[in-house]
PDB file of all heavy atoms in Angstrom:
ATOM      1  N   PHE A  32       7.341  16.055 -19.587  1.00 59.00           N
ATOM      2  CA  PHE A  32       8.745  16.016 -19.953  1.00 59.00           C
ATOM      3  C   PHE A  32       9.613  15.215 -18.990  1.00 59.00           C
ATOM      4  O   PHE A  32      10.682  14.755 -19.356  1.00 59.00           O
ATOM      5  CB  PHE A  32       9.305  17.435 -20.111  1.00 59.00           C
ATOM      6  CG  PHE A  32       8.793  18.109 -21.345  1.00 59.00           C
ATOM      7  CD1 PHE A  32       7.875  19.141 -21.253  1.00 59.00           C
ATOM      8  CD2 PHE A  32       9.186  17.679 -22.602  1.00 59.00           C
ATOM      9  CE1 PHE A  32       7.382  19.753 -22.398  1.00 59.00           C
ATOM     10  CE2 PHE A  32       8.696  18.278 -23.754  1.00 59.00           C
ATOM     11  CZ  PHE A  32       7.795  19.317 -23.649  1.00 59.00           C
ATOM     12  N   PHE A  33       9.156  15.047 -17.753  1.00 59.00           N
ATOM     13  CA  PHE A  33       9.993  14.395 -16.757  1.00 59.00           C
ATOM     14  C   PHE A  33       9.409  13.087 -16.216  1.00 59.00           C
ATOM     15  O   PHE A  33       9.939  12.537 -15.266  1.00 59.00           O
ATOM     16  CB  PHE A  33      10.282  15.357 -15.595  1.00 59.00           C
ATOM     17  CG  PHE A  33      11.075  16.556 -16.020  1.00 59.00           C
ATOM     18  CD1 PHE A  33      10.447  17.776 -16.203  1.00 59.00           C
ATOM     19  CD2 PHE A  33      12.430  16.452 -16.264  1.00 59.00           C
ATOM     20  CE1 PHE A  33      11.179  18.876 -16.610  1.00 59.00           C
ATOM     21  CE2 PHE A  33      13.162  17.551 -16.660  1.00 59.00           C
ATOM     22  CZ  PHE A  33      12.537  18.776 -16.838  1.00 59.00           C
ATOM     23  N   ILE A  34       8.349  12.569 -16.828  1.00 58.00           N
ATOM     24  CA  ILE A  34       7.696  11.366 -16.298  1.00 58.00           C
ATOM     25  C   ILE A  34       8.654  10.179 -16.255  1.00 58.00           C
ATOM     26  O   ILE A  34       8.639   9.410 -15.279  1.00 58.00           O
ATOM     27  CB  ILE A  34       6.398  11.024 -17.070  1.00 58.00           C
ATOM     28  CG1 ILE A  34       5.582   9.974 -16.320  1.00 58.00           C
ATOM     29  CG2 ILE A  34       6.703  10.539 -18.479  1.00 58.00           C
ATOM     30  CD1 ILE A  34       4.948  10.450 -15.071  1.00 58.00           C
ATOM     31  N   ASP A  35       9.490  10.014 -17.250  1.00 63.00           N
ATOM     32  CA  ASP A  35      10.435   8.888 -17.233  1.00 63.00           C
ATOM     33  C   ASP A  35      11.409   9.006 -16.068  1.00 63.00           C
ATOM     34  O   ASP A  35      11.693   8.026 -15.379  1.00 63.00           O
ATOM     35  CB  ASP A  35      11.215   8.804 -18.552  1.00 63.00           C
ATOM     36  CG  ASP A  35      10.336   8.363 -19.710  1.00 63.00           C
ATOM     37  OD1 ASP A  35       9.283   7.745 -19.447  1.00 63.00           O
ATOM     38  OD2 ASP A  35      10.699   8.643 -20.865  1.00 63.00           O
ATOM     39  N   ASP A  36      11.902  10.217 -15.828  1.00 61.00           N
ATOM     40  CA  ASP A  36      12.821  10.439 -14.713  1.00 61.00           C
ATOM     41  C   ASP A  36      12.103  10.222 -13.378  1.00 61.00           C
ATOM     42  O   ASP A  36      12.652   9.618 -12.457  1.00 61.00           O
ATOM     43  CB  ASP A  36      13.399  11.858 -14.791  1.00 61.00           C
ATOM     44  CG  ASP A  36      14.594  12.048 -13.878  1.00 61.00           C
ATOM     45  OD1 ASP A  36      15.462  11.142 -13.849  1.00 61.00           O
ATOM     46  OD2 ASP A  36      14.652  13.080 -13.199  1.00 61.00           O
ATOM     47  N   ILE A  37      10.868  10.691 -13.280  1.00 59.00           N
ATOM     48  CA  ILE A  37      10.086  10.506 -12.051  1.00 59.00           C
ATOM     49  C   ILE A  37       9.839   9.019 -11.815  1.00 59.00           C
ATOM     50  O   ILE A  37      10.026   8.520 -10.703  1.00 59.00           O
ATOM     51  CB  ILE A  37       8.758  11.288 -12.128  1.00 59.00           C
ATOM     52  CG1 ILE A  37       9.037  12.789 -12.097  1.00 59.00           C
ATOM     53  CG2 ILE A  37       7.825  10.881 -10.989  1.00 59.00           C
ATOM     54  CD1 ILE A  37       7.828  13.637 -12.444  1.00 59.00           C
ATOM     55  N   GLN A  38       9.421   8.293 -12.856  1.00 57.00           N
ATOM     56  CA  GLN A  38       9.162   6.854 -12.693  1.00 57.00           C
ATOM     57  C   GLN A  38      10.430   6.096 -12.303  1.00 57.00           C
ATOM     58  O   GLN A  38      10.367   5.103 -11.600  1.00 57.00           O
ATOM     59  CB  GLN A  38       8.571   6.265 -13.970  1.00 57.00           C
ATOM     60  CG  GLN A  38       7.116   6.607 -14.147  1.00 57.00           C
ATOM     61  CD  GLN A  38       6.533   5.956 -15.387  1.00 57.00           C
ATOM     62  OE1 GLN A  38       7.218   5.744 -16.382  1.00 57.00           O
ATOM     63  NE2 GLN A  38       5.258   5.646 -15.328  1.00 57.00           N
ATOM     64  N   GLU A  39      11.570   6.560 -12.750  1.00 66.00           N
ATOM     65  CA  GLU A  39      12.832   5.896 -12.421  1.00 66.00           C
ATOM     66  C   GLU A  39      13.215   6.104 -10.960  1.00 66.00           C
ATOM     67  O   GLU A  39      13.769   5.215 -10.330  1.00 66.00           O
ATOM     68  CB  GLU A  39      13.946   6.421 -13.341  1.00 66.00           C
ATOM     69  CG  GLU A  39      15.291   5.804 -13.109  1.00 66.00           C
ATOM     70  CD  GLU A  39      15.341   4.315 -13.413  1.00 66.00           C
ATOM     71  OE1 GLU A  39      14.563   3.847 -14.268  1.00 66.00           O
ATOM     72  OE2 GLU A  39      16.152   3.619 -12.786  1.00 66.00           O
ATOM     73  N   LYS A  40      12.907   7.274 -10.407  1.00 65.00           N
ATOM     74  CA  LYS A  40      13.387   7.620  -9.069  1.00 65.00           C
ATOM     75  C   LYS A  40      12.317   7.597  -7.983  1.00 65.00           C
ATOM     76  O   LYS A  40      12.656   7.474  -6.808  1.00 65.00           O
ATOM     77  CB  LYS A  40      14.040   8.992  -9.105  1.00 65.00           C
ATOM     78  CG  LYS A  40      15.294   9.012  -9.972  1.00 65.00           C
ATOM     79  CD  LYS A  40      15.905  10.384 -10.021  1.00 65.00           C
ATOM     80  CE  LYS A  40      17.138  10.357 -10.920  1.00 65.00           C
ATOM     81  NZ  LYS A  40      17.700  11.677 -11.106  1.00 65.00           N
ATOM     82  N   ALA A  41      11.056   7.756  -8.337  1.00 72.00           N
ATOM     83  CA  ALA A  41       9.989   7.813  -7.328  1.00 72.00           C
ATOM     84  C   ALA A  41       9.362   6.433  -7.149  1.00 72.00           C
ATOM     85  O   ALA A  41       9.199   5.690  -8.117  1.00 72.00           O
ATOM     86  CB  ALA A  41       8.923   8.819  -7.754  1.00 72.00           C
ATOM     87  N   HIS A  42       9.039   6.104  -5.931  1.00 81.00           N
ATOM     88  CA  HIS A  42       8.440   4.807  -5.621  1.00 81.00           C
ATOM     89  C   HIS A  42       7.307   4.994  -4.624  1.00 81.00           C
ATOM     90  O   HIS A  42       7.381   5.842  -3.742  1.00 81.00           O
ATOM     91  CB  HIS A  42       9.460   3.863  -4.969  1.00 81.00           C
ATOM     92  CG  HIS A  42      10.763   3.790  -5.669  1.00 81.00           C
ATOM     93  ND1 HIS A  42      10.955   3.057  -6.807  1.00 81.00           N
ATOM     94  CD2 HIS A  42      11.943   4.386  -5.403  1.00 81.00           C
ATOM     95  CE1 HIS A  42      12.210   3.184  -7.203  1.00 81.00           C
ATOM     96  NE2 HIS A  42      12.827   3.990  -6.372  1.00 81.00           N
ATOM     97  N   TYR A  43       6.282   4.183  -4.760  1.00 88.00           N
ATOM     98  CA  TYR A  43       5.335   4.046  -3.667  1.00 88.00           C
ATOM     99  C   TYR A  43       6.032   3.173  -2.621  1.00 88.00           C
ATOM    100  O   TYR A  43       6.845   2.316  -2.964  1.00 88.00           O
ATOM    101  CB  TYR A  43       4.070   3.314  -4.120  1.00 88.00           C
ATOM    102  CG  TYR A  43       3.187   4.097  -5.052  1.00 88.00           C
ATOM    103  CD1 TYR A  43       3.158   3.802  -6.415  1.00 88.00           C
ATOM    104  CD2 TYR A  43       2.354   5.101  -4.576  1.00 88.00           C
ATOM    105  CE1 TYR A  43       2.329   4.494  -7.277  1.00 88.00           C
ATOM    106  CE2 TYR A  43       1.519   5.796  -5.430  1.00 88.00           C
ATOM    107  CZ  TYR A  43       1.513   5.495  -6.784  1.00 88.00           C
ATOM    108  OH  TYR A  43       0.698   6.173  -7.629  1.00 88.00           O
ATOM    109  N   VAL A  44       5.698   3.359  -1.365  1.00 93.00           N
ATOM    110  CA  VAL A  44       6.172   2.478  -0.307  1.00 93.00           C
ATOM    111  C   VAL A  44       4.932   1.985   0.412  1.00 93.00           C
ATOM    112  O   VAL A  44       4.075   2.776   0.815  1.00 93.00           O
ATOM    113  CB  VAL A  44       7.116   3.202   0.677  1.00 93.00           C
ATOM    114  CG1 VAL A  44       7.551   2.256   1.794  1.00 93.00           C
ATOM    115  CG2 VAL A  44       8.331   3.758  -0.065  1.00 93.00           C
ATOM    116  N   ALA A  45       4.826   0.668   0.540  1.00 95.00           N
ATOM    117  CA  ALA A  45       3.668   0.066   1.197  1.00 95.00           C
ATOM    118  C   ALA A  45       4.141  -0.892   2.282  1.00 95.00           C
ATOM    119  O   ALA A  45       5.269  -1.395   2.235  1.00 95.00           O
ATOM    120  CB  ALA A  45       2.815  -0.690   0.176  1.00 95.00           C
ATOM    121  N   VAL A  46       3.275  -1.112   3.253  1.00 97.00           N
ATOM    122  CA  VAL A  46       3.534  -2.103   4.291  1.00 97.00           C
ATOM    123  C   VAL A  46       2.390  -3.097   4.297  1.00 97.00           C
ATOM    124  O   VAL A  46       1.239  -2.745   4.034  1.00 97.00           O
ATOM    125  CB  VAL A  46       3.693  -1.466   5.692  1.00 97.00           C
ATOM    126  CG1 VAL A  46       4.954  -0.639   5.772  1.00 97.00           C
ATOM    127  CG2 VAL A  46       2.491  -0.636   6.074  1.00 97.00           C
ATOM    128  N   THR A  47       2.717  -4.356   4.544  1.00 97.00           N
ATOM    129  CA  THR A  47       1.694  -5.387   4.695  1.00 97.00           C
ATOM    130  C   THR A  47       1.924  -6.085   6.027  1.00 97.00           C
ATOM    131  O   THR A  47       3.039  -6.094   6.546  1.00 97.00           O
ATOM    132  CB  THR A  47       1.753  -6.428   3.550  1.00 97.00           C
ATOM    133  OG1 THR A  47       3.035  -7.048   3.549  1.00 97.00           O
ATOM    134  CG2 THR A  47       1.471  -5.777   2.208  1.00 97.00           C
ATOM    135  N   GLY A  48       0.847  -6.660   6.558  1.00 98.00           N
ATOM    136  CA  GLY A  48       0.945  -7.283   7.866  1.00 98.00           C
ATOM    137  C   GLY A  48       0.447  -8.712   7.886  1.00 98.00           C
ATOM    138  O   GLY A  48      -0.692  -8.979   7.499  1.00 98.00           O
ATOM    139  N   ILE A  49       1.299  -9.601   8.313  1.00 98.00           N
ATOM    140  CA  ILE A  49       0.909 -10.990   8.530  1.00 98.00           C
ATOM    141  C   ILE A  49       0.487 -11.069   9.995  1.00 98.00           C
ATOM    142  O   ILE A  49       1.319 -11.055  10.890  1.00 98.00           O
ATOM    143  CB  ILE A  49       2.063 -11.942   8.185  1.00 98.00           C
ATOM    144  CG1 ILE A  49       2.419 -11.754   6.711  1.00 98.00           C
ATOM    145  CG2 ILE A  49       1.675 -13.387   8.502  1.00 98.00           C
ATOM    146  CD1 ILE A  49       3.703 -12.384   6.288  1.00 98.00           C
ATOM    147  N   ILE A  50      -0.824 -11.091  10.203  1.00 98.00           N
ATOM    148  CA  ILE A  50      -1.399 -10.992  11.538  1.00 98.00           C
ATOM    149  C   ILE A  50      -1.732 -12.392  12.040  1.00 98.00           C
ATOM    150  O   ILE A  50      -2.449 -13.143  11.386  1.00 98.00           O
ATOM    151  CB  ILE A  50      -2.686 -10.125  11.531  1.00 98.00           C
ATOM    152  CG1 ILE A  50      -2.456  -8.807  10.784  1.00 98.00           C
ATOM    153  CG2 ILE A  50      -3.206  -9.914  12.952  1.00 98.00           C
ATOM    154  CD1 ILE A  50      -1.322  -7.966  11.286  1.00 98.00           C
ATOM    155  N   ARG A  51      -1.213 -12.715  13.217  1.00 98.00           N
ATOM    156  CA  ARG A  51      -1.424 -14.033  13.823  1.00 98.00           C
ATOM    157  C   ARG A  51      -2.287 -13.868  15.069  1.00 98.00           C
ATOM    158  O   ARG A  51      -2.025 -12.999  15.908  1.00 98.00           O
ATOM    159  CB  ARG A  51      -0.069 -14.636  14.194  1.00 98.00           C
ATOM    160  CG  ARG A  51      -0.140 -16.033  14.769  1.00 98.00           C
ATOM    161  CD  ARG A  51       1.280 -16.502  15.077  1.00 98.00           C
ATOM    162  NE  ARG A  51       1.280 -17.584  16.025  1.00 98.00           N
ATOM    163  CZ  ARG A  51       1.692 -18.814  15.744  1.00 98.00           C
ATOM    164  NH1 ARG A  51       2.141 -19.100  14.544  1.00 98.00           N
ATOM    165  NH2 ARG A  51       1.673 -19.743  16.677  1.00 98.00           N
ATOM    166  N   ASN A  52      -3.320 -14.714  15.187  1.00 98.00           N
ATOM    167  CA  ASN A  52      -4.181 -14.632  16.369  1.00 98.00           C
ATOM    168  C   ASN A  52      -3.728 -15.617  17.448  1.00 98.00           C
ATOM    169  O   ASN A  52      -2.757 -16.358  17.259  1.00 98.00           O
ATOM    170  CB  ASN A  52      -5.660 -14.825  15.997  1.00 98.00           C
ATOM    171  CG  ASN A  52      -6.003 -16.225  15.526  1.00 98.00           C
ATOM    172  OD1 ASN A  52      -5.233 -17.180  15.676  1.00 98.00           O
ATOM    173  ND2 ASN A  52      -7.187 -16.362  14.938  1.00 98.00           N
ATOM    174  N   ALA A  53      -4.435 -15.636  18.561  1.00 97.00           N
ATOM    175  CA  ALA A  53      -4.057 -16.474  19.715  1.00 97.00           C
ATOM    176  C   ALA A  53      -4.143 -17.959  19.393  1.00 97.00           C
ATOM    177  O   ALA A  53      -3.503 -18.780  20.063  1.00 97.00           O
ATOM    178  CB  ALA A  53      -4.944 -16.137  20.906  1.00 97.00           C
ATOM    179  N   ASP A  54      -4.915 -18.327  18.367  1.00 97.00           N
ATOM    180  CA  ASP A  54      -5.033 -19.731  17.954  1.00 97.00           C
ATOM    181  C   ASP A  54      -3.937 -20.139  16.960  1.00 97.00           C
ATOM    182  O   ASP A  54      -3.952 -21.258  16.448  1.00 97.00           O
ATOM    183  CB  ASP A  54      -6.407 -19.989  17.330  1.00 97.00           C
ATOM    184  CG  ASP A  54      -7.544 -19.756  18.308  1.00 97.00           C
ATOM    185  OD1 ASP A  54      -7.373 -20.042  19.512  1.00 97.00           O
ATOM    186  OD2 ASP A  54      -8.610 -19.278  17.865  1.00 97.00           O
ATOM    187  N   GLY A  55      -3.026 -19.229  16.645  1.00 97.00           N
ATOM    188  CA  GLY A  55      -1.956 -19.536  15.704  1.00 97.00           C
ATOM    189  C   GLY A  55      -2.402 -19.497  14.251  1.00 97.00           C
ATOM    190  O   GLY A  55      -1.724 -20.045  13.380  1.00 97.00           O
TER     191      GLY A  55
END
Side-chain angles (χ1 to χ4, degrees):
F32 288 108
F33 296 102
I34 193 70
D35 290 338
D36 194 44
I37 292 168
Q38 283 183 329
E39 181 64 28
K40 295 179 181 175
H42 312 282
Y43 290 104
V44 178
V46 292
T47 60
I49 299 167
I50 312 304
R51 183 179 160 115
N52 68 13
D54 298 325

